[in-house]
Amino acid sequence: MAKSSADDEELRRACEAAIEGTKQNVVMSIRVAKSRGIWGKSAKLGRGQMAKPRVLAISTKAKAQRTKAFLRVLKYSNGGVLEHAKLYKLKHLSKVEVVTNDPSGCTFMLGFDNLRSQSVAPPQWTMRNVDDRNRLLLCILNVCKDVLGHLPKVVGIDVVEMALWAKENTSTMPKQQVDLRDGPVKDAVAEGDMKVTVERELVSQAEEEDMEALLGTYVMGISEAEAFSERLKRELQALEAANVHVILENEPLVDEVLQGLEIATNCVEDMDEWLGIFNVKLRHMREDIESIETRNNKLEMHSVNNKSLVDELDKLLERLCIPSEYAACLTGGSFDESHMHQNIDACEWLTEVLQSLEVPNIDRSYVNMRAVKEKWAELDRMKNNFAKRASEFLRNYFASLVDFMISDKSYFSQRGQLKRPDHADLRYKCRTYARLLQHLKILDKNCMDALRKAYCSSLNLLLRREAREFANELRTITKASRNPIAWLEGPAGPNQSVNNTDTSTVSEAYAKMLTIFIPLLVDESSFFAHFMCFEGLANGNKTGHDDDDDLGIMNIDDNNTKDGKKSSDLEALNESLHELLDGIQEDFYAVVDWAYKIDPLRCISMHGITERYISGQKADAAGYVRILLDDLENRISLQFSRFVDEACHQIERNERNIRQAGVLSYIPRFATLATRMEQYIQGQSRDLVDQAYAKLVTIMFVTLDKVAQADSKYEDILLLENYAAFQNSLYDLANVVPTLAKFYHQASESYEQACTRFISTIIYTQFERLFQFARRIEDLMYTNAPEEIPYQMGVSKMDLQKVVKSSLSGVDKSISTMYKKLQKNLASEELLPSLWEKCKKEFLDKYDSFAQLVAKIYPGKTIPSVSEMRDLLASM
């Protein structure tokens, strides 16, 4: 026991050290066997992981007016030192509950009222034994009572058992006689204090005094319970007998009361009869009043219904009434510009009336009325008649406008003068009838197809006439000399002609044609989409330089535009634009063909110009213009392909010529052609030119190989001279054109291969015996040891001496002969120095290999050294 007290004292000092600096006094401290709900999710332990022990300490802190009490949770750090982990204020302690599912009774929970609204589980601890649990709980209850002035609710604990335990363990518990507000002391809790904490919970002092006063009236002690009970029974029986005697004495009074009650009952019955009579009369009166009110209500309802019916009929008659001014316009009015305002008003009125007579704008019961049906039929006839007259007028009006412009030559290009088409007046006159077309589409949508066809047919004649006159005059005033197509055919030499004629005016003429007509066609397409009521497709299609497409009108049924409707309208728009612009492409084709005949290479610049215009057409209304530009681009590509195919045929015709020597004519001519093609590249035409390069150079190399194979004796010479000429002529272009750079490297590899074969042939021709002897030695080394080879037939030491004497005596003359053969066979003098250097290097490499074989197979035999040969070659 002394050891336990010493441990408790040591634990309390450790707790005081842990909370040092908080100015709090430790009342009690105790170790906990297990804890839960303190740390949240982080308190969960993995398998095999041991929880660190916890210590609970009760502390107080004195303030000026009051004292605060705390429950502290401390834990051991990794160094075995207690440190603060959690703090609870005991003023919030509302319940102390022992957990019932723990059979040992050592587990309890503390309920704090400030944790109820939070997602935090109540703190739960398991003590090492019941004694530790009782010690802690009694200390907490005493602190709450003495310091805080309230006791928490106790659940699951037998208070009598707690009191008995407190009496039995008074001597073993730490004594605490001083007020807890003054801090912790080392004395034990007195026995009287235990009684205050527990027994006062059973019988209060006031109840005990009342019981003693009651027993004092009977001159009995508090221990004479049985005698007191018998005496109370006898007194109860005496009181019951006295009550019966009093009731019997009061019988006459009861009879009088019963007689009065009978008289009162008769009066009540009479009154009930009278009330029944009055109730019947009142019921009849109420029924009469209700019938009168019902008749009045029906009369009032009839009056209100009749008034509403008259109002509705007046409104219906107002709808069905056709104003005379509108009837005149709709049945036989004029469509002149001065009368268009009245026609538009009449159309708006007719549209509103027809919509008002449709469900749900009108009640379904009205639809079946004969008057409504007759008026609807009359309005429908009036609508069809008006739509028919307006459509016929507009078709004739469109045709007359175009016929007037076509008959006036001032609208078109004339000799010596290019005329930019101007449709401003035409659009202004058409704009007058834009609102009428909007209403015609609503009144009779079927008539729009015929109107669109009439407009497209008339305007197509005007556009084709303008394009034809402009293109013819453009070709007439453009001055350019025609370049020959045979770029890669003809004799090669320093005096070969180069096609340097400037044909830029051809590209400028084509660009001018597109500059004038492509915006015009886009504007006409956009204006057509607006004017002919293609809702949702013409918006945003205006070009930046033309504001005439804005008709100044709103889409009357714009809210009805849906995705499916837009798709069908787009299809109809494309069909109409095809009718509007069909045939005009022929005049553009004529300009392209004319430019091709003057200079086929101008197809490159025209292709770039066309591509730039294609990328600028994004609007739905410009769909057919994009198709026109795509066809132009295909036409230009087809013409350029014709030129490339003709150039390929010119190259292939070299195969049928007699033996050729030196550089073929098409090699330098291709360099001139590629230089000119690079000058014409614009925008996206790079792919077109690269495809032409690939096709031409491939044919050039194939043809070169075929021409060289015609004479095997001079095959390598022809190949290396032409590949060298190809590299020299395209060096600058290959640095900037990736496609030509690829063929430049291919020519370089072929040149090196031809040089190697040609030089080997020259060397073997001059030193054939020497190097054949070396080859025989190499062949014998596969089957014989090196020391056995000198004894083989044909490779003996004597044979070696004969070969060396015949091949290397007068070696300077042999080398000079090699140089003369090179000089004789090469037609290009600038290749001789590099080829001679390659020849000397190749000869030295072969001779070095021969010298090593001799040193290995014929030790002791001496031949001219490699350094002597190198010096000899350097002096040549």
Side-chain angles (χ1 to χ4, degrees), residues 666-845:
Y666 60 77
I667 296 294
R669 284 178 174 270
F670 174 75
T672 305
L673 174 63
T675 303
R676 181 66 64 88
M677 290 170 68
E678 288 297 320
Q679 295 173 356
Y680 291 166
I681 290 178
Q682 294 185 15
Q684 302 295 326
S685 55
R686 163 56 64 190
D687 294 339
L688 183 70
V689 174
D690 287 344
Q691 294 173 7
Y693 285 156
K695 190 171 184 179
L696 289 171
V697 176
T698 302
I699 294 297
M700 287 168 57
F701 287 173
V702 171
T703 303
L704 176 60
D705 291 339
K706 291 181 179 179
V707 172
Q709 291 171 6
D711 189 351
S712 59
K713 181 177 180 181
Y714 298 99
E715 177 180 0
D716 294 327
I717 299 174
L718 185 65
L719 288 176
L720 68 88
E721 287 183 337
N722 281 274
Y723 282 126
F726 181 85
Q727 295 179 75
N728 293 334
S729 60
L730 289 178
Y731 178 78
D732 295 332
L733 287 178
N735 287 327
V736 294
V737 181
T739 303
L740 291 179
K742 180 182 69 173
F743 290 110
Y744 181 90
H745 294 305
Q746 180 180 346
S748 178
E749 294 175 0
S750 301
Y751 170 77
E752 293 295 334
Q753 295 172 4
C755 285
T756 302
R757 293 194 300 269
F758 177 62
I759 291 171
S760 298
T761 302
I762 294 293
I763 294 174
Y764 275 106
T765 301
Q766 196 65 33
F767 297 94
E768 182 177 3
R769 292 190 61 191
L770 182 68
F771 294 118
Q772 282 184 353
F773 187 82
R775 188 178 299 125
R776 286 199 300 271
I777 294 175
E778 291 174 350
D779 293 340
L780 289 172
M781 289 179 68
Y782 289 110
T783 57
N784 297 277
E787 58 272 11
E788 297 176 357
I789 292 176
Y791 302 101
Q792 301 295 325
M793 184 178 294
V795 291
S796 62
K797 295 181 179 180
M798 186 64 65
D799 294 329
L800 172 65
Q801 186 175 355
K802 291 179 181 179
V803 168
V804 170
K805 183 177 181 181
S806 62
S807 299
L808 297 182
S809 59
V811 66
D812 52 346
K813 295 182 180 180
S814 299
I815 293 174
S816 177
T817 302
M818 283 195 306
Y819 180 79
K820 290 179 180 179
K821 286 183 178 181
L822 277 177
Q823 190 175 23
K824 177 182 178 181
N825 290 324
L826 286 178
S828 178
E829 292 293 335
E830 61 269 14
L831 293 179
L832 182 61
S834 61
L835 281 177
W836 177 238
E837 291 298 327
K838 288 179 180 291
C839 184
K840 291 192 291 185
K841 183 177 182 304
E842 182 71 17
F843 175 75
L844 281 176
D845 292 340

Side-chain angles (χ1 to χ4, degrees), residues 839-856:
C839 184
K840 291 192 291 185
K841 183 177 182 304
E842 182 71 17
F843 175 75
L844 281 176
D845 292 340
K846 293 181 178 295
Y847 186 78
D848 185 30
S849 299
F850 176 75
Q852 292 179 9
L853 284 175
V854 171
K856 183 177 182 180

Side-chain angles (χ1 to χ4, degrees), residues 278-307:
F278 290 140
N279 188 29
V280 172
K281 293 182 178 181
L282 289 174
R283 186 172 64 252
H284 290 311
M285 293 176 63
R286 186 166 52 251
E287 291 176 356
D288 294 340
I289 292 172
E290 288 178 355
S291 64
I292 293 172
E293 290 179 350
T294 301
R295 287 195 298 271
N296 289 338
N297 291 337
K298 289 182 179 179
L299 291 175
E300 290 180 1
M301 185 180 297
H302 284 310
S303 176
V304 171
N305 290 338
N306 290 334
K307 184 179 179 180

Side-chain angles (χ1 to χ4, degrees), residues 235-363:
E235 289 184 358
L236 178 60
Q237 292 174 358
L239 289 174
E240 290 177 351
N243 288 335
V244 172
H245 180 70
V246 170
I247 292 171
L248 293 176
E249 287 179 351
N250 293 331
E251 183 177 359
L253 297 176
V254 173
D255 292 337
E256 292 179 4
V257 171
L258 291 176
Q259 187 178 1
L261 289 175
E262 186 177 358
I263 294 170
T265 301
N266 294 331
C267 292
V268 170
E269 291 176 356
D270 295 339
M271 187 177 293
D272 183 60
E273 291 179 1
W274 281 102
L275 290 176
I277 294 170
F278 290 140
N279 188 29
V280 172
K281 293 182 178 181
L282 289 174
R283 186 172 64 252
H284 290 311
M285 293 176 63
R286 186 166 52 251
E287 291 176 356
D288 294 340
I289 292 172
E290 288 178 355
S291 64
I292 293 172
E293 290 179 350
T294 301
R295 287 195 298 271
N296 289 338
N297 291 337
K298 289 182 179 179
L299 291 175
E300 290 180 1
M301 185 180 297
H302 284 310
S303 176
V304 171
N305 290 338
N306 290 334
K307 184 179 179 180
S308 300
L309 179 59
V310 171
D311 293 339
E312 287 295 325
L313 291 176
D314 290 340
K315 292 178 181 178
L316 182 59
L317 289 174
E318 185 179 353
R319 292 183 186 179
L320 300 179
C321 180
I322 303 176
S324 58
E325 63 274 14
Y326 294 156
C329 290
L330 293 173
T331 55
S334 173
F335 291 101
D336 293 339
E337 185 176 351
S338 59
H339 294 85
M340 281 312 299
H341 183 69
Q342 292 86 343
N343 288 324
I344 295 301
D345 291 342
C347 288
E348 291 178 351
W349 173 85
L350 181 59
T351 302
E352 292 176 0
V353 171
L354 289 175
Q355 291 178 350
S356 66
L357 294 179
E358 294 177 351
V359 179
N361 296 323
I362 190 173
D363 192 88

